[in-house]
Amino acid sequence: MKLLFLNGPNLNMLGIREPGIYGRQTYQDLEKYIQDFCGELGIACEILQSNHEGVLVDAIQSAYGRVDGIVINPAAYTHTSVALLDALKAVSLPAVEVHLSDVSAREDFRQISYVRLACRRTFAGHGFQGYRMAAEALLAEKNGASEGEKE
Ligand code: DQA
């Protein structure tokens, strides 16, 4: 089982950006957290952060035929990017959407998610743990468990 973890714009500023919303842990802490739980679960992982939509599209395309699933926090591109949605549809890999914050309790413009239309599930408001929940959901799916609802 190999997963691609994709993080969108400004997530490299974790620890500095709006700590009241996103916490004090840094992006490096997030990468380490992902590497650690993937090690525990026996998952091989690739992790990428970019502030550029096209780089994220390229990363999704290059995942085709190479990984078993994608965990994606598109950050602000969640609410704007048809290109990311189309890329996920194009490769048709199982994907799960993650947000550190509970986007459902935030501004109106954060209530729209384009990528969600190509994702099996969404985990929002669980902080770093959401990434693990997403990976476990993809692992369970690969092992034949049934799909759950969006959370
Ligand atoms: C975010 C939520 C988005 O609305 C926001 O633009 C982000 C981070 C989250 O992880 O909570 O950059 O995806």
Side-chain angles (χ1 to χ4, degrees):
M1 173 83 168
K2 181 169 187 177
L3 296 180
L4 171 64
F5 292 81
L6 276 183
N7 289 298
N10 301 305
L11 290 170
N12 57 315
M13 297 292 284
L14 285 178
I16 296 169
R17 75 180 289 211
E18 302 179 88
I21 296 174
Y22 300 112
R24 294 261 173 215
Q25 286 184 289
T26 66
Y27 183 71
Q28 286 64 39
D29 294 333
L30 176 60
E31 281 197 341
K32 185 172 184 316
Y33 175 80
I34 293 170
Q35 280 156 357
D36 287 353
F37 77 68
C38 282
E40 259 177 57
L41 298 172
I43 295 171
C45 69
E46 280 179 25
I47 310 171
L48 178 85
Q49 187 277 330
S50 179
N51 294 326
H52 305 279
E53 189 175 16
V55 173
L56 296 166
V57 169
D58 288 344
I60 293 168
Q61 289 184 7
S62 79
Y64 181 71
R66 283 193 319 106
V67 309
D68 302 296
I70 298 176
V71 174
I72 184 166
N73 181 349
Y77 290 137
T78 307
H79 318 299
T80 62
S81 182
V82 177
L84 288 179
L85 168 64
D86 284 350
L88 289 172
K89 283 185 164 176
V91 297
S92 99
L93 286 164
V96 175
E97 176 189 21
V98 172
H99 299 285
L100 295 164
S101 65
D102 179 7
V103 279
S104 71
R106 298 182 63 191
E107 300 95 327
D108 286 352
F109 64 84
R110 294 185 206 275
Q111 303 314 309
I112 289 174
S113 168
Y114 289 98
V115 296
R116 191 166 302 174
L117 299 172
C119 289
R120 301 287 210 262
R121 302 180 67 164
T122 296
F123 294 100
H126 302 282
F128 283 10
Q129 219 193 326
Y131 289 79
R132 183 178 180 131
M133 294 160 94
E136 284 177 345
L138 288 168
L139 190 59
E141 184 181 330
K142 191 161 198 265
N143 293 337
S146 64
E147 277 180 38
E149 314 183 306
K150 291 183 191 281
E151 288 176 17

